[in-house]
């Protein structure tokens, strides 16, 4: 059916769609106002077909997509690369922590843009991402080893976050990264220290510089950055309380030699003579749950007092080179301890204690498990450990051999209340 003509002397309202025949090319044309460009000018989409019916059909599709909010961002033909660059530099950069931004940029520029950047944003499919993850699984790192599953999973989380923002802004209608199957991260077997192992470590801490720092890790379960971020003003040895307020995080250095044509020639920014904006940086703890006040055991109070006396002696010996910044645990000049140095000291401590090799974070698992052994309620455990979800108790608390035997003894005491423990295997007598 031919389209009705508008009465003479009238015109279409602003923003209305238009359909017309062009004698210049012999085609039917349609124009639909979708929205407004970044410049503020109207964004008019153009379609061209051989017949009027085809143009009408395309115009109606555009109008429905516009009215349903299912049209791509007005005025922009986003590619995945263009969106990722815009997101990480203009949306993420001003709002996230520096270390988070470093991870985002590494994933965006190192893996995502080379892998799927050429796709149109609205044409990206879950299968494209899954193919990328498989490819990354066989990609060699700088050290010549395959990328770790955790690295690939970081790329997945990054693009999922970036595309969620694109959905929120109506650039795309759904997030394919939420559908794509992310690579599985193998769970590491975590074995908390036994009571005997913990005792060996605590003994080895007594004669070491900053040994009390690891006593704090085992007894209170502070994260690495939280322990290194303690200042004396956070601790009240009289009231036996400790406030956790900040965390020390390693931040990559930035090259300071890239102005003009001058470069230092070093590959890594940490080796640049003009390096800047890096090192061990104090930051506020990430979550509200992380800001907490802990009680200090009396034995730890004694250890902290001895540590402070040793620190005062070190300050006198160092003289003018000492930088008094108020840190509880410092290097030999009063400055904050770098997390990498802290890691090396932990490894040396384990060797000195004659204990198996383990991550420093396993001390936190040990502290959480100790609370389980002591029967502390889950809600209180959350407060002590700085967790925001109760589910974290199942991740950090483990059944130790001592607890296993204790449970067995309780079971035996229930069924054989009048018998002595002799290691026998008598069956319970039915009631």
């Amino acid at each position: 059916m031919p389209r009705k003509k508008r009465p003479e002397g009238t015109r279409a309202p602003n923003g209305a769609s238009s359909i017309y025949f062009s004698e210049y090319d012999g085609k039917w044309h349609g124009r639909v106002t979708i929205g407004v460009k970044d410049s503020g000018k109207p964004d008019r989409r153009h379609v061209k077909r051989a017949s009027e019916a085809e143009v009408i059909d395309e115009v109606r599709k555009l109008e429905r997509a516009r009215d349903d909010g299912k049209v791509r961002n007005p005025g922009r033909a986003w590619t995945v690369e263009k969106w990722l660059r815009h997101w990480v530099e203009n949306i993420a950069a001003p709002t996230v922590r520096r270390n988070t931004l470093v991870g985002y940029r590494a994933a965006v520029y190192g893996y995502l843009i080379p892998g799927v950047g050429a796709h149109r944003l609205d044409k990206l499919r879950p299968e494209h991402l899954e193919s990328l993850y498989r490819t990354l699984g066989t990609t060699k790192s700088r050290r010549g080893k395959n990328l770790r599953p955790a690295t690939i999973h970081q790329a997945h989380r990054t693009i999922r976050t970036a595309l969620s923002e694109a959905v929120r802004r109506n650039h795309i209608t759904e997030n394919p990264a939420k559908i794509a199957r992310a690579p599985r991260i193998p769970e590491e077997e975590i074995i908390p220290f036994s009571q005997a192992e913990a005792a060996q470590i605590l003994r080895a801490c007594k004669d070491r510089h900053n040994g009390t720092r690891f006593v704090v890790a085992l007894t209170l379960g502070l994260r690495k950055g939280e322990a290194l971020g303690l200042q004396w003003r956070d601790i009240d040895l009289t009231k036996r309380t400790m406030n956790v307020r900040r965390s020390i995080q390693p931040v990559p250095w930035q090259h300071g030699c890239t102005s003009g044509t001058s470069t230092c020639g070093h590959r890594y920014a940490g080796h640049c003579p003009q390096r800047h904006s890096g090192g061990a940086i104090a930051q506020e703890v990430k979550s509200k749950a992380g800001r907490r006040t802990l009680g200090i055991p009396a034995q730890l109070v004694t250890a902290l007092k001895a540590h402070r006396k040793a620190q005062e002696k070190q300050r006198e010996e160092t003289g003018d080179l000492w930088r008094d910044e108020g840190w509880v645990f410092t290097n030999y000049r009063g400055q904050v301890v770098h997390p990498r140095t802290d890691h090396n000291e932990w490894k040396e401590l384990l060797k000195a204690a004659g204990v198996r090799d383990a991550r420093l974070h396993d001390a936190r698992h040990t502290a959480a498990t100790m609370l389980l052994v002591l029967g502390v309620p889950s809600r209180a455990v959350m407060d002590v450990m700085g967790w925001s979800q109760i589910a974290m108790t199942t991740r950090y608390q483990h059944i130790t051999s001592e607890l296993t035997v204790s449970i067995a003894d309780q079971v035996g005491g229930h069924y054989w209340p009048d018998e002595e423990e002799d290691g026998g295997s008598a069956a319970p007598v039915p009631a």
Side-chain angles (χ1 to χ4, degrees):
M1 179 182 295
R3 195 168 58 90
K4 295 182 179 180
K5 294 184 178 180
R6 188 178 299 109
E8 293 186 8
T10 63
R11 54 170 294 176
N14 290 335
S17 303
S18 60
I19 298 173
Y20 59 92
F21 178 78
S22 173
E23 295 182 355
Y24 177 77
D25 59 4
K27 301 285 185 179
W28 282 88
H29 297 256
R31 296 189 180 275
V32 183
T33 301
I34 294 299
V36 180
K37 297 180 180 179
D38 288 345
S39 63
K41 296 180 180 179
D43 178 55
R44 295 274 285 178
R45 302 294 175 89
H46 173 237
V47 294
K48 179 173 66 173
R49 296 292 185 271
S51 69
E52 182 182 19
E54 290 176 312
V55 168
I56 291 174
D57 184 56
E58 292 300 319
V59 166
R60 298 296 178 261
K61 287 180 181 179
L62 281 173
E63 290 175 336
R64 285 194 297 270
R66 175 195 63 195
D67 297 339
D68 294 341
K70 295 182 179 181
V71 70
R72 289 179 290 115
N73 186 45
R76 287 182 182 266
W78 291 103
T79 62
V80 174
E81 176 179 358
K82 188 175 181 180
W83 171 250
L84 287 176
R85 288 181 183 275
H86 174 77
W87 169 78
V88 75
E89 302 300 345
N90 299 285
I91 300 174
T95 58
V96 301
R97 291 170 175 263
R98 288 185 59 181
N99 275 9
T100 303
L101 183 60
V102 168
Y104 282 165
R105 283 175 171 159
V108 165
Y109 297 115
Y111 309 120
L112 297 174
I113 288 179
V116 294
H119 286 283
R120 239 174 61 180
L121 186 62
D122 60 334
K123 297 296 183 180
L124 185 66
R125 296 291 179 262
E127 292 76 16
H128 298 146
L129 296 175
E130 291 165 345
S131 176
L132 170 63
Y133 302 153
R134 288 192 295 271
T135 301
L136 292 178
T138 60
T139 301
K140 300 294 182 182
S141 66
R142 292 176 179 176
R143 297 180 180 179
K145 299 181 180 179
N146 287 347
L147 292 179
R148 297 182 304 140
T151 302
I152 304 172
H153 205 274
Q154 163 69 8
H156 168 73
R157 294 196 305 272
T158 299
I159 195 166
R160 183 180 62 192
T161 303
L163 295 182
S164 291
E165 186 64 26
V167 171
R168 195 174 75 85
R169 297 178 180 226
N170 291 329
H171 301 334
I172 52 177
T173 59
E174 62 181 0
N175 185 348
K178 288 187 175 181
I179 303 173
R181 295 284 185 175
R184 178 179 174 272
I185 302 179
E187 291 188 9
E188 298 182 29
E189 183 179 3
I190 299 169
I191 304 176
F193 294 113
S194 67
Q195 188 174 1
E197 289 174 323
Q200 288 177 250
I201 295 173
L202 292 176
R203 283 194 295 268
C205 287
K206 291 183 179 180
D207 301 323
R208 298 185 67 86
H209 174 69
N210 284 336
T212 308
R213 174 261 177 280
F214 302 110
V215 178
V216 169
L218 277 170
T219 56
L220 299 182
L222 266 65
R223 301 174 178 90
K224 176 191 291 189
E226 293 173 345
L228 297 180
L230 287 174
Q231 293 185 324
W232 285 113
R233 60 192 173 103
D234 301 322
I235 299 176
D236 189 326
L237 295 178
T238 302
K239 295 181 179 179
R240 291 172 46 193
T241 59
M242 175 184 295
N243 296 317
V244 180
R245 294 291 179 267
R246 72 195 64 80
S247 177
I248 299 298
Q249 298 296 328
V251 176
W253 291 97
Q254 302 295 318
H255 272 284
C257 59
T258 54
S259 59
T261 58
S262 173
T263 58
C264 66
H266 292 287
R267 178 178 181 181
Y268 298 106
H271 299 158
C272 176
Q274 289 83 39
R275 64 183 186 179
H276 64 89
S277 304
I281 306 298
Q283 302 175 346
E284 292 295 316
V285 293
K286 286 185 177 181
S287 65
K288 182 179 179 181
R291 294 176 61 90
R292 59 198 188 277
T293 300
L294 305 176
I296 307 176
Q299 296 84 348
L300 181 53
V301 169
T302 302
L304 285 168
K305 288 179 178 179
H307 172 72
R308 185 159 61 180
K309 288 182 179 179
Q311 189 180 85
E312 290 172 354
K313 182 179 178 181
Q314 179 67 41
R315 178 169 51 191
E316 292 175 0
E317 294 174 353
T318 304
D320 294 339
L321 295 179
W322 183 271
R323 294 180 58 181
D324 191 359
E325 298 175 348
W327 304 111
V328 175
F329 306 113
T330 70
N331 60 20
Y332 289 99
R333 292 189 177 185
Q335 298 167 303
V336 68
V337 177
H338 193 284
R340 186 180 296 109
T341 302
D342 186 65
H343 169 82
N344 295 336
E345 290 179 354
W346 167 254
K347 294 297 184 180
E348 293 175 5
L349 173 65
L350 294 181
K351 291 180 181 178
V355 174
R356 60 185 169 85
D357 186 40
R359 305 174 310 165
L360 178 53
H361 201 71
D362 290 341
R364 179 167 165 81
H365 284 270
T366 301
T369 300
M370 172 194 65
L371 298 176
L372 172 65
V373 172
L374 296 175
V376 178
S378 297
R379 177 66 245 187
V381 173
M382 285 181 60
D383 293 340
V384 171
M385 302 301 294
W387 296 329
S388 56
Q389 297 179 349
I390 194 70
M392 296 296 287
T393 57
T394 60
R395 177 180 177 184
Y396 276 84
Q397 292 183 322
H398 311 272
I399 303 298
T400 63
S401 57
E402 294 96 339
L403 185 57
T404 300
V405 174
S406 175
I407 294 172
D409 290 341
Q410 292 180 56
V411 172
H414 174 76
Y415 284 108
W416 298 280
D418 299 327
E419 296 187 22
E420 296 182 358
E421 297 179 10
D422 57 2
S425 58
V429 179

